[in-house]
Amino acid sequence: MPPTNTAERLAEYEQRYRELAAELATIGLIQSGSVTRRYTRCGTPGCKCHADPPQPHGPYYQWTAKINGKTVTRRLTEREAELYQEWIANDRRLRRLIQQMRQVAAKAAELRLKQAASP
Ligand SMILES: [Zn+2]
């Protein structure tokens, strides 16, 4: 492979890498874990949650995450649940971006090594 070709490909990967890195900076707050929405039935006989058709209590929102090996849960309002879901989506996007950066970096690194090895 001619050296110019390697240099061009390397420049493309480096450009792509910089674009991904710039995208990283646009990501808002991040949060781990997940949000669940639940409906429940109580123990009170004759309550609407036992009616036919049943009208269960809720929705109740809860955030669950593993922090330092411990499962942490937190009750949320609907608005808080929306925020958490946004942050969790940001976190997924962040991890996807880093994965892409690793792939591009690996290709760029191979070309850099090739350049370094040539006289
Ligand atoms: Zn009930």
Side-chain angles (χ1 to χ4, degrees), residues 40-51 57:
T40 61
R41 289 180 199 206
C42 69
T44 308
C47 180
K48 67 186 172 89
C49 66
H50 297 289
H57 302 281

Side-chain angles (χ1 to χ4, degrees), residues 2-11 14 108-119:
T4 50
N5 200 349
T6 298
E8 280 167 17
R9 285 168 62 217
L10 180 58
E14 283 175 343
E110 282 305 316
L111 294 178
R112 272 278 179 85
L113 290 172
K114 195 184 271 185
Q115 272 186 340
S118 67

Side-chain angles (χ1 to χ4, degrees), residues 16-62:
R16 178 77 186 121
Y17 190 79
R18 280 193 298 274
E19 283 167 8
L20 290 168
E23 222 178 300
L24 270 187
T26 69
I27 293 177
L29 293 179
I30 55 169
Q31 186 60 266
S32 61
S34 58
V35 170
T36 52
R37 188 171 81 145
R38 285 181 308 118
Y39 290 88
T40 61
R41 289 180 199 206
C42 69
T44 308
C47 180
K48 67 186 172 89
C49 66
H50 297 289
D52 187 21
Q55 294 173 261
H57 302 281
Y60 298 110
Y61 296 91
Q62 187 177 284

